[in-house]
Structure formats: structure tokens, C-alpha cells
Amino acid sequence: MSDTGRRVAIVGSGPSGFYAAEALLKDDRNLQVDIIDRLPTPFGLVRGGVAPDHQKIKNVIRVYERTAGNERCSFIGNVMVGRDVSVADLQRFYDAVVFTCGAETDRTLAIPGIDLPGSHTATAFVGWYNGHPDYRDLSFDLSGETAVVIGQGNVAVDVTRVLAKTVDELAGTDIAAHALEALAESKVREVHMVGRRGPVQAAFTSKEIRELGELGDCALHFNDQADFDLGPACRAELDDAGNTDAQRNWKALGELREAGPASGCSKRIVVHFFRSPKELAGDGRVQRLTLEKNRLAGDAGDQWAEGTGETVEMPCGLFFRSVGYRGVPIEGLPFDDRRGVFPNQGGRITGGGAALPGLYAAGWIKRGPSGVIGTNKPDSTETARNLLADLEGLAACAVPDTGALLAQLRDRGARPVSYEDWRAIDAAEVARGAAAGKPREKFTRVEEMLAVLD
Ligand code: NAP
């Protein structure tokens, strides 16, 4: 079929955005697909979230580069929906808009002392060491000996590992220079990773927990071996044939316990189960943390943590909450405040229970912050399939012209960044990195990125 002139905008250039674009571009109605991002750099969490010492995971970018190279696909970076352009504006230029803007903030942890200096979100620390411009000017006081990370998802494991690695282990990665410099001076010797439930319910995956036992100068300890004595409900959960993640974790944890902590290390990681944070305290900054011991309540497969009333206090110079991400609303779109997502049915955004014509969602803003990068492919494909099924019935937009959108953006003072522009920024980063033996040295401020172009 020849070009029908149908046009789709995708808001967010992370994995879910690129997978949605890939699926839409395959349709034989030859759609134009423009991917908009608030940063001048594409790839979302692959650039700003994946840990710098997990370079191989970033190879997935090659797939996205192929999509970006399609002549019917454009990248429009450095343009923020809600600031530079409204949802209603986008609907003037596109027949449909797919929101793949992820989950940009954190779930809260409401305990006394949470706002004391020295208490941070994992998101902020991850953004900082990955050179995300939003977090560039943060600083983390690494002068204390003890850091605590609350949560046992893979983000908590990333934060724990980065704090525990030696500078040599991080130096050849694309970690931001400012972070490497600060970590080189770090006095942190103990990192405690604290989960509210048990080893069978831990949200990390086996490859990631194994890595904590393979660090250059860090011994891995488990706080209490009794945490591995399983009650009948945990045993039933573990024996459930479908619970393969827990089974792999159990095996990995068993092997790590059997191997025991490495000797002669100057740092240690301590993994705690069945503990919840109750209070942070200190004189003007975080110094102490009170944890409450938990037991599990509920049935196998649906067990939650219940406080026992028994508390323990520990020193804590630096505190991170890593209890999950959360989506943020965009003006002009409905928002499910409880789940932190855009309400939707199969990716069709709904208002008052009915699908809103031409508005779609995919990725974390559609289903919540779960799964690995690859999980987004079927998720985005489902949204694209539903959009393509609706396409005939969607009204054609008033101004089917990307050039007109770009002109409007420039009139309003925005400086859109094209994919070609990004390639220039990319080349400059790679060249800077080569000098330091790194895959790239990221620009960490938007102005620095734009200076490469102008
Ligand atoms: P996550 O996997 O949902 O883990 C959140 C953790 O926070 C869980 O341990 C959860 O415990 C805990 N938690 C939540 N509320 C809490 C509270 N009030 N008190 C104490 N603990 C609380 O989230 P994530 O680590 O942010 O990761 C997001 C997604 O990205 C995940 O799917 C993850 O696998 C993925 N990811 C993957 C990689 C990788 O593949 N290497 C790296 C990073 C992230 P409960 O289980 O008890 O709720």
C-alpha cells in the first residue's frame, strides 16, 4: 500500500518508545513516526538507568538505531511535552500520540526523618552516577562508613554494587566523571541492603544477586542465617512450578551462603531480610536508622510483611530508598494516582472508562514500573496493534507536517535536536571517553550537549 500520510507521535525515546515505533513502522500503510524526548539524548533508561558496569545490556541500542534510521522515523529531542508543546498541540500535528514516558519519580517512604540530609532516593543516585542532567548538581556525602539501601529490587542491587565497587572496577565504564571522582574519595565501607520480606519474595534476579558475591574488594554477608529457615507458606511458594525467579534466587543465595564471605576485603555488603525502616534520626543529618523486625502474614503467593514490634538501631551515614518508581501526570491526560500510570485498556488511554480517541500508552506509564528492557517489546507491540486497528476510524490531524511543528517549537524558543544532531553529540562523547579509556564520557548538562551543535 502507498503512503497514507497517517502520522503518529511517540512521547519518550526509551525502550518502550522505540519498540512502539518499530511495530508501527512495519505497518504497510507507511506511517510517519516521530519520537519526541525532553532530553537531547535518546534511549531513556538504557542511557540514564542501566548501571554503568552493565555495558553489555546497552548493546540493545543497536536495535533502536535501526529503527531511528528508518526514513519514516524522526527524532525530536530537547522538547518537553507540557513545557514546549501541549498534548492538544500534538494532536494538531499527529493522528495519534503514544505516551512512552516511563515512571520518572519514586514511590514514597513515609517514615520520620526521611527528609533529613543524607536521605535520598535511589532514582537520584542512579541519575547522578549515570550523568542525567536532572541530577547533575546533586551531591552525596560519602564520608561516613555505613550506607543503607531500602528495597531488594534490581535497582537496590545496582546502588549497593556501585557503592561497593572499587574505582578500578568502575573506571572503564561510562559512569559520569563527577560520580567517579566522588566515589574515588568514598569512605563507605559497609552497605546494608534491607528487604521487608524474605529470600523467597526478594524482587532481585539471580544474576544480579550473584554479582554481589563477585566484587573485587567486598565480602558478601547475610545478616541472619535463620532468615533462610522457610515456613510452610514460603516453602509452598518456592515449590510452585511457575515461580522460577524465586527458585533461581534460592539457588543463587544457597551457593553464595555456602561460599561464605570473601576474606581480606576492605568493604562488606550485608543483606537483611524481614526488616522495615521505622525512623531515621541524627543531629542535622542522617546518623541512625531504626529497623523493625517483620514476620510474614497471608497465604502462599500473597504474603505481606507485618511488624513484630521488635526494633534494632544501626548507624547510617547515607540512606537510599529504592522502593520502586512511579509515573508522573501530564497536563491534559487522565492519571491513575493510585498506580501512577495513565489509565488504559490495552494501551488505549481511557477517561471515565472510555477510550480517548488517538491517545495511547506503552511501557511503564502503561503497566507500572516492572520487568526488564525486553518486557517492553510485547507491551509496546500490543499498544501499536490496537492503534493500528483504530487508525481508519481516527480523524486526520489538522496540520500533517513535522516541519510546521518544528517551526512552532522554534518560535516558542525551543531548540529541537534531530537524530543527526544526537549522532554528533554521541560522536563527541565517544571521543571524550576514548581519552579516558571509557566507552564514552557523557555530557551531563543540556547546554554542553547543545554547544556541540551550535
Ligand atoms: P522493584 O523490582 O519493584 O523492587 C522494589 C523493592 O522495594 C521490593 O523489594 C519491594 O518489596 C520494596 N519495597 C516497596 N515498598 C516498600 C516499603 N514501603 N518498605 C520497604 N520496602 C519496600 O523495583 P526496582 O528495583 O525499582 O526495579 C524496577 C524494575 O526495573 C524491575 O522490574 C527491575 O527488575 C528492573 N531493573 C532491572 C535491572 C536489571 O535487569 N539488571 C536493573 C534495574 C532495574 P516488596 O517485594 O515487599 O514489595
Side-chain angles (χ1 to χ4, degrees):
M1 204 182 269
S2 61
D3 285 13
T4 51
R6 304 307 307 256
R7 301 163 48 74
V8 181
I10 293 178
V11 179
S13 69
S16 55
F18 270 99
Y19 290 129
E22 186 186 333
L24 291 168
L25 288 162
K26 278 187 188 146
D27 188 74
D28 63 6
R29 282 167 287 185
N30 288 353
L31 275 61
Q32 171 68 32
V33 178
D34 293 349
I35 305 176
I36 299 170
D37 200 289
R38 71 184 178 93
L39 291 178
T41 53
F43 312 133
L45 280 183
V46 178
R47 178 180 166 100
V50 171
D53 56 342
H54 282 175
Q55 286 297 311
K56 275 196 193 142
I57 294 180
K58 300 188 188 219
N59 289 341
V60 70
I61 281 174
R62 293 194 195 128
V63 176
Y64 310 150
E65 282 173 336
R66 274 205 299 279
T67 300
N70 187 308
E71 57 181 13
R72 288 183 285 109
C73 182
S74 298
F75 175 69
I76 306 175
N78 201 28
V79 169
M80 186 168 168
V81 176
R83 180 191 67 193
D84 304 313
V85 66
S86 68
V87 174
D89 277 335
L90 284 181
Q91 291 187 290
R92 285 179 56 232
F93 296 100
Y94 297 93
D95 305 334
V97 186
V98 186
F99 291 87
T100 55
C101 37
E104 287 197 85
T105 187
D106 306 81
R107 284 194 201 128
T108 51
L109 189 63
I111 57 167
I114 195 70
D115 294 323
L116 277 173
S119 163
H120 307 273
T121 64
T123 311
F125 190 59
V126 169
W128 174 77
Y129 66 59
N130 274 326
H132 190 298
D134 287 2
Y135 306 100
R136 170 65 180 88
D137 293 316
L138 297 183
S139 61
F140 297 90
D141 184 348
L142 300 163
S143 64
E145 283 217 347
T146 310
V148 178
V149 183
I150 299 296
Q152 286 187 334
N154 282 330
V155 172
V157 178
D158 283 347
V159 169
T160 298
R161 194 180 65 252
V162 167
L163 285 168
K165 276 199 162 177
T166 63
V167 172
D168 285 348
E169 286 174 296
L170 294 170
T173 74
D174 67 353
I175 189 168
H178 61 257
L180 189 62
E181 226 169 84
L183 287 165
E185 299 298 317
S186 171
K187 298 283 181 290
V188 173
R189 290 288 164 267
E190 280 195 18
V191 190
H192 297 263
M193 186 174 79
V194 180
R196 62 180 169 181
R197 298 192 287 162
V200 176
Q201 293 81 29
F204 51 65
T205 42
S206 57
K207 182 172 163 291
E208 279 63 30
I209 193 69
R210 278 182 201 281
E211 242 184 306
L212 294 187
E214 296 162 359
L215 305 184
D217 184 27
C218 184
L220 178 63
H221 295 256
F222 294 95
N223 175 54
D224 188 350
Q225 297 295 337
D227 291 344
F228 294 88
D229 299 337
L230 300 187
C234 288
R235 176 51 65 192
E237 267 182 43
L238 195 58
D239 289 344
D240 177 348
N243 205 356
T244 49
D245 279 346
Q247 287 155 11
R248 287 195 198 104
N249 278 347
W250 186 252
K251 185 165 185 281
L253 289 165
E255 286 165 16
L256 289 164
R257 288 166 64 212
E258 199 176 316
S263 54
C265 296
S266 66
K267 293 186 188 177
R268 61 187 212 134
I269 290 171
V270 185
V271 178
H272 302 245
F273 294 103
F274 303 112
R275 301 280 187 281
S276 282
K278 291 307 280 181
E279 182 172 6
L280 278 166
D283 192 4
R285 57 158 295 110
V286 168
Q287 288 169 327
R288 292 178 306 283
L289 168 66
T290 304
L291 293 171
E292 181 175 10
K293 217 170 162 180
N294 295 330
R295 67 169 84 87
L296 293 182
D299 298 329
D302 185 26
Q303 297 193 82
W304 63 90
E306 203 173 66
T308 62
E310 189 186 329
T311 58
V312 279
E313 199 183 273
M314 61 187 290
C316 173
L318 188 58
F319 179 88
F320 294 102
R321 57 186 189 274
S322 180
V323 294
Y325 290 99
R326 192 182 149 77
V328 294
I330 289 183
E331 205 185 322
L333 293 176
F335 190 67
D336 177 342
D337 199 44
R338 194 180 58 80
R339 294 186 57 222
V341 300
F342 295 156
N344 71 90
Q345 288 164 0
R348 292 180 175 104
I349 296 181
T350 56
L356 301 175
L359 295 174
Y360 299 85
W364 281 4
I365 199 64
K366 169 187 174 188
R367 68 173 192 276
S370 66
V372 293
I373 290 170
T375 314
N376 293 298
K377 186 161 181 171
D379 180 304
S380 292
T381 304
E382 179 196 50
T383 296
R385 200 171 45 238
N386 287 336
L387 186 163
L388 291 167
D390 298 346
L391 193 61
E392 293 275 296
L394 294 179
C397 64
V399 189
D401 181 358
T402 302
L405 168 65
L406 293 173
Q408 175 184 310
L409 287 165
R410 289 193 186 101
D411 280 352
R412 291 182 182 174
R415 192 322 184 176
V417 166
S418 66
Y419 201 72
E420 212 167 88
D421 290 338
W422 152 245
R423 290 174 78 101
I425 295 169
D426 182 35
E429 286 188 345
V430 171
R432 277 159 40 111
K438 299 170 74 172
R440 70 176 60 244
E441 188 65 69
K442 288 178 189 167
F443 294 110
T444 56
R445 297 185 198 280
V446 170
E447 310 87 78
E448 292 173 347
M449 299 173 192
L450 299 183
V452 173
L453 309 175
D454 295 330

